């Protein structure tokens, strides 16, 4: 057997025996690397006689090429095997539960939205929503705020730049425009609940320029103030999880309700915290009233046939009262420590039957 054949047999044997990519590379370096055995032989061509070179040249080239091809082929095989092994060992069972309890917490405002929706949901209300950017008609005019009426000024409205003669759009100052949107498009009976963000140009310890309201609207035949009172007293009892709530409806003014009333509930201070229901002081918690006939007409509903009541409440303060948070400002600071402390586990949906909080 010639020397070349011996080298070829050894080299191909070593390639076949290489059991991983590192071993294969070691073979490649030993044979074909700069200082490798076959490369060394190639270098001897220069010092050969022309006749010798004529036979040894092609023989050595052939040797180098066959060993090179064998290395490439083995490399592909080993890479394939390695991938297969990784796919086997790194397999993940997607049906297993996660190992750690997720870190995320539901913001108290979102929790209270869900609690309120659960309570009114039990009374047959469904949730409706509307846009944060409103036009003058829905935020004011349809709600019986005449143009230039001083009540418009009490809302500290954020206005957009006006566009081509049209009244400027606004960031809605309350959730009441959704009453209008629903009455314009749905026929009574109507029983809706509207959670949402609202905006007023106000900023101190108890006011933020964006805050949250929940609006309620009931329209049907023969709806009266007794329905409004019963519904809201039931709500307060469920929400604060107390058996008794002493409430009063104090006359007030809203352009879109007549008569209008603010609802106060009794409370007492116990140390730092507040107990709702009974006690020696009154606290205002929401605005309400019978929907004004002008509003019904503006929305295409005949006020001689239908009546209804509406209410609106600030959710941020209700959350503060229920969960004993002393300050409103951290609500909007996105401090993860605060959210972990005051936040709620997202999976525990509140329900009246299963518990609210
Ligand atoms: N929209 C009123 C406010 O923001 C609240 C309200 C709603 C009052 C519905 C009566 C009826 O102050």
């Amino acid at each position: 057997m010639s020397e070349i054949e011996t080298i070829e047999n050894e080299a191909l044997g070593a390639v076949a025996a290489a059991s991983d990519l590192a071993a294969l590379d070691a073979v490649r370096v030993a044979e074909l690397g700069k200082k490798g055995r076959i490369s060394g032989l190639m270098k001897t061509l220069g010092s050969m006689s022309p006749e010798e070179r004529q036979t040894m040249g092609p023989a050595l080239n052939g040797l180098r090429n066959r060993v090179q091809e064998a290395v490439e082929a083995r490399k592909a095989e080993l890479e394939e095997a390695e991938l297969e092994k990784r796919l086997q060992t790194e397999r993940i069972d997607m049906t297993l539960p996660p190992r750690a309890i997720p870190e995320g917490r539901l913001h108290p405002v979102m929790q209270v939205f869900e609690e309120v929706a659960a309570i009114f949901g039990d009374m047959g209300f469904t949730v409706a929503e509307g846009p944060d950017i409103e036009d003058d008609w829905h935020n004011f005019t349809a709600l019986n705020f005449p143009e230039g009426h001083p009540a418009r000024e009490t809302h500290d409205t954020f206005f957009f730049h006006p566009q081509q003669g049209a009244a400027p759009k606004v960031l809605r100052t309350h959730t009441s425009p959704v009453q209008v949107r629903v009455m314009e498009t749905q026929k009574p009976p109507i029983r809706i609940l509207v959670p949402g963000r609202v905006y007023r140009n106000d900023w101190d310890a108890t006011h933020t320029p964006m805050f949250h309201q929940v609006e309620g609207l009931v329209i049907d035949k023969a709806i009266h103030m007794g329905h409004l009172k019963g519904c809201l007293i039931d709500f307060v009892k469920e929400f604060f999880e107390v058996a008794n709530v002493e409430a009063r409806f104090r006359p007030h003014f809203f352009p879109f309700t007549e008569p209008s009333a603010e609802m106060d509930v009794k409370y007492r201070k116990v140390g730092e915290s507040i107990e709702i229901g009974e006690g020696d002081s009154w606290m205002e918690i929401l605005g309400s009233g019978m929907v004004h006939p002008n509003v019904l007409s503006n929305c295409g509903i005949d006020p001689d046939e239908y009546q209804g009541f509406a209410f609106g409440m600030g959710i941020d303060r209700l959350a503060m009262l229920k969960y004993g948070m002393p300050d409103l400002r951290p609500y909007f600071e996105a401090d993860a420590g605060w959210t972990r402390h005051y936040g709620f586990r997202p999976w525990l949906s509140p329900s009246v039957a299963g518990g609210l909080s």
Side-chain angles (χ1 to χ4, degrees), residues 124-292:
F125 287 68
T126 55
V127 170
E129 287 180 307
D132 288 21
I133 297 175
E134 263 301 3
D135 50 39
D136 183 81
W137 167 257
H138 290 96
N139 198 80
F140 291 123
T141 308
L143 288 166
N144 201 35
F145 287 80
E147 259 166 74
H149 191 281
R152 289 188 182 221
E153 258 103 84
T154 64
H155 276 207
D156 299 309
T157 312
F158 288 111
F159 290 98
F160 286 80
H161 291 295
Q163 279 184 336
Q164 290 185 343
K169 295 231 172 174
V170 300
L171 283 174
R172 67 176 175 194
T173 58
H174 49 176
T175 41
S176 303
V178 184
Q179 287 189 33
V180 177
R181 289 185 176 276
V182 169
M183 286 191 280
E184 280 173 339
T185 53
Q186 288 177 29
K187 286 209 177 324
I190 290 169
R191 215 182 282 188
I192 53 151
L193 194 72
V194 185
R197 296 192 175 103
V198 300
Y199 306 83
R200 291 184 199 184
N201 192 358
D202 216 348
W203 177 238
D204 60 31
T206 52
H207 295 89
T208 50
M210 188 277 289
F211 57 104
H212 301 84
Q213 286 189 337
V214 168
E215 186 92 5
L217 174 72
V218 171
I219 305 286
D220 207 338
K221 292 178 177 166
I223 296 289
H224 55 71
M225 200 85 187
H227 295 126
L228 179 160
K229 290 173 77 173
C231 176
L232 291 174
I233 290 170
D234 275 357
F235 161 72
V236 175
K237 281 192 215 160
E238 294 276 10
F239 181 73
F240 289 104
E241 300 172 72
V242 290
N244 283 311
V245 169
E246 211 182 319
R248 74 176 177 198
F249 288 79
R250 184 171 31 77
H252 195 73
F253 173 79
F254 299 106
F256 38 91
T257 45
E258 181 58 37
S260 306
E262 284 192 325
M263 180 182 183
D264 299 339
V265 293
K266 276 269 174 87
Y267 74 97
R268 75 164 67 88
K269 270 198 125 164
V270 184
E272 283 300 286
S273 66
I274 278 174
E275 278 176 10
I276 302 279
E278 290 166 353
D280 41 30
S281 319
W282 291 108
M283 179 178 328
E284 179 244 312
I285 60 161
L286 55 82
S288 66
M290 301 305 293
V291 178
H292 197 292

